[in-house]
């Protein structure tokens, strides 16, 4: 009887121990499963993080390569890569500078993207060597493109300044040439009766006898006032219309280098036949015998 009781008690103790062990095992199994789930979640988050970082890195690399390609096209199109650039007009130079500015803006945006990416890597929980190396390479590539595009812009701006200076010098030279041409082609004409021209101090009688009443010669004075003359273009103004009869012209020219004619109203016309020979002297005085009163 005692033996049966002892066995029963042992069995009860054994059953209680088994139940306790089972509960402990179930708890450990639950902890392992929770840890496994947490680890799987961490791995999934890490994978997603790496995917996001790699996509960002690839996008930035693609932008930098596009910037490189655009820069090469600009250099090829402008001739900067081979030597001095030649621009047809100011619009072409402005468009080139605008394109360079667009590339610079893209590079600036990518610099901000790299900074954001670097901050994301640091915030993930420690430094990751491979990612940090990628970021370093990205920054180096970006810096190379920024330096290259800055040099290109500086060259274009320098060339633009050079072109502007050359344009100014050419314009200045053209003005000088035009002034010289105008000076060379300008002659001066005065028309009037003998009395009018004497009164203005343009002509005078020279020589003769009886106080110049006989045998005197009409000449231009040496101290005449140039403001009494009208400037003309001797390459274009080849005819002079006079309301009256032309008496003489001064200084005297050979008759074959000009011609005179009168119309029915007693108006006169002087036509220059050989301008080069006629204008060996740049002043012309047309002495009118009398004005046409009609």
């Amino acid at each position: 009887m005692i033996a049966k009781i002892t066995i029963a008690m042992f069995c009860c103790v054994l059953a209680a121990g088994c139940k306790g062990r089972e509960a402990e095992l179930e708890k450990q199994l639950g902890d392992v499963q929770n840890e496994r789930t947490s680890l799987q979640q961490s791995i999934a988050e890490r994978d997603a993080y790496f995917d996001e970082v790699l996509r960002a890195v690839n996008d930035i690399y693609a932008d930098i390569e596009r910037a490189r390609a655009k820069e090469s096209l600009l250099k090829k199109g402008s001739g900067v890569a081979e030597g001095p650039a030649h621009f047809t007009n100011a619009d072409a130079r402005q468009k080139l500078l605008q394109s360079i500015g667009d590339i610079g803006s893209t590079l600036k945006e990518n610099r901000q993207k790299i900074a954001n990416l670097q901050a994301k890597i640091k915030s993930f929980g420690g430094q990751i060597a491979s990612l940090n190396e990628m970021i370093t390479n990205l920054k180096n590539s970006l810096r190379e493109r920024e330096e290259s595009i800055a040099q290109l812009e500086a060259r274009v701006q320098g060339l633009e300044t050079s072109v502007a200076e050359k344009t100014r010098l050419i314009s200045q030279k053209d003005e000088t040439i035009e002034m010289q041409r105008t000076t060379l082609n300008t002659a001066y004409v005065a028309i009037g009766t003998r009395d009018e021209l004497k009164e203005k101090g343009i002509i005078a009688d020279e020589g003769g006898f009886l106080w110049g009443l006989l045998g005197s010669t009409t000449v231009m004075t040496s101290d005449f006032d140039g403001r009494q003359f009208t400037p003309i273009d001797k390459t274009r103004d080849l005819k002079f219309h006079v309301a009256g009869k032309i008496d003489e012209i001064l200084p005297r020219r050979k008759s074959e280098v000009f011609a005179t004619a009168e119309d029915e109203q007693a108006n006169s016309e002087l036509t220059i036949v050989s301008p080069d020979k006629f204008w060996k002297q740049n002043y012309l005085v047309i002495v009118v015998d009398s004005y046409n009163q009609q």
Side-chain angles (χ1 to χ4, degrees):
M1 183 70 178
I2 296 173
K4 290 181 179 180
I5 295 172
T6 301
I7 291 171
M9 291 179 61
F10 177 76
C11 289
C12 289
V13 171
L14 182 60
C18 288
K19 289 181 179 180
R21 180 60 178 169
E22 184 180 352
E24 183 179 352
L25 290 174
E26 288 179 353
K27 181 178 181 301
Q28 290 177 355
L29 180 59
D31 291 341
V32 170
Q33 289 177 337
N34 290 336
E35 184 176 352
R36 182 171 178 271
T37 301
S38 177
L39 182 59
Q40 288 177 335
Q41 184 177 355
S42 296
I43 291 173
E45 291 176 354
R46 188 181 184 90
D47 288 344
Y49 165 77
F50 271 102
D51 287 343
E52 182 182 357
V53 169
L54 290 176
R55 279 197 303 271
V57 169
N58 288 334
D59 288 344
I60 294 172
Y61 266 124
D63 278 350
I64 292 176
E65 286 306 310
R66 280 193 290 269
R68 188 196 304 272
K70 289 181 180 178
E71 180 186 344
S72 297
L73 288 175
L74 290 179
K75 287 181 177 179
K76 183 178 179 180
S78 64
V80 173
E82 294 77 14
H86 301 284
F87 302 107
T88 55
N89 52 47
D91 288 341
R93 297 194 297 273
Q94 189 59 39
K95 287 179 181 178
L96 182 57
L97 287 173
Q98 180 62 46
S99 298
I100 292 172
D102 293 340
I103 296 174
S105 297
T106 300
L107 295 177
K108 185 177 180 181
E109 291 173 2
N110 280 286
R111 177 166 289 279
Q112 184 59 48
K113 289 179 182 178
I114 292 174
N116 295 339
L117 193 56
Q118 198 167 21
K120 182 185 288 293
I121 292 173
K122 288 182 179 179
S123 67
F124 187 73
Q127 298 290 328
I128 302 174
S130 60
L131 291 182
N132 285 330
E133 185 177 354
M134 283 185 186
I135 296 301
T136 299
N137 292 337
L138 270 179
K139 292 172 73 174
N140 290 338
S141 298
L142 180 63
R143 183 171 59 253
E144 289 175 2
R145 296 272 58 75
E146 287 176 332
E147 290 175 354
S148 181
I149 201 67
Q151 291 173 1
L152 177 59
E153 183 176 20
R155 288 195 64 185
V156 172
Q157 290 177 338
L159 289 169
E160 186 177 29
T161 301
S162 177
V163 169
E165 177 62 17
K166 288 180 180 179
T167 301
R168 186 189 67 81
L169 291 176
I170 290 173
S171 177
Q172 188 178 53
K173 185 177 180 180
D174 288 344
E175 289 179 3
T176 301
I177 292 173
E178 180 62 22
M179 289 176 61
Q180 292 174 344
R181 188 198 69 80
T182 300
T183 300
L184 290 173
N185 292 341
T186 299
Y188 302 89
V189 178
I191 301 174
T193 64
R194 194 173 300 275
D195 291 339
E196 288 175 342
L197 295 171
K198 285 182 178 180
E199 184 179 350
K200 292 178 179 178
I202 295 175
I203 65 173
D205 292 329
E206 186 178 80
F209 53 93
L210 295 179
W211 302 280
L213 295 176
L214 296 175
S216 63
T217 302
T218 304
V219 297
M220 289 183 62
T221 62
S222 59
D223 57 350
F224 58 81
D225 185 356
R227 291 174 298 180
Q228 301 293 339
F229 287 76
T230 300
I232 57 99
D233 186 338
K234 60 187 179 183
T235 64
R236 298 177 181 178
D237 300 324
L238 303 179
K239 291 181 181 292
F240 299 93
H241 302 279
V242 180
K245 181 180 178 180
I246 298 176
D247 187 17
E248 64 178 318
I249 64 171
L250 299 171
R252 292 173 178 80
R253 271 86 164 174
K254 292 182 179 180
S255 59
E256 61 265 23
V257 301
F258 71 95
T260 58
E262 294 182 15
D263 60 19
E264 296 177 355
Q265 286 75 36
N267 296 315
S268 301
E269 183 177 81
L270 185 149
T271 302
I272 299 174
V273 178
S274 302
D276 291 341
K277 295 179 180 179
F278 186 91
W279 289 114
K280 287 183 177 181
Q281 293 174 296
N282 285 331
Y283 285 87
L284 170 64
V285 177
I286 300 177
V287 182
V288 181
D289 183 52
S290 62
Y291 288 124
N292 183 3
Q293 300 297 325
Q294 295 183 359

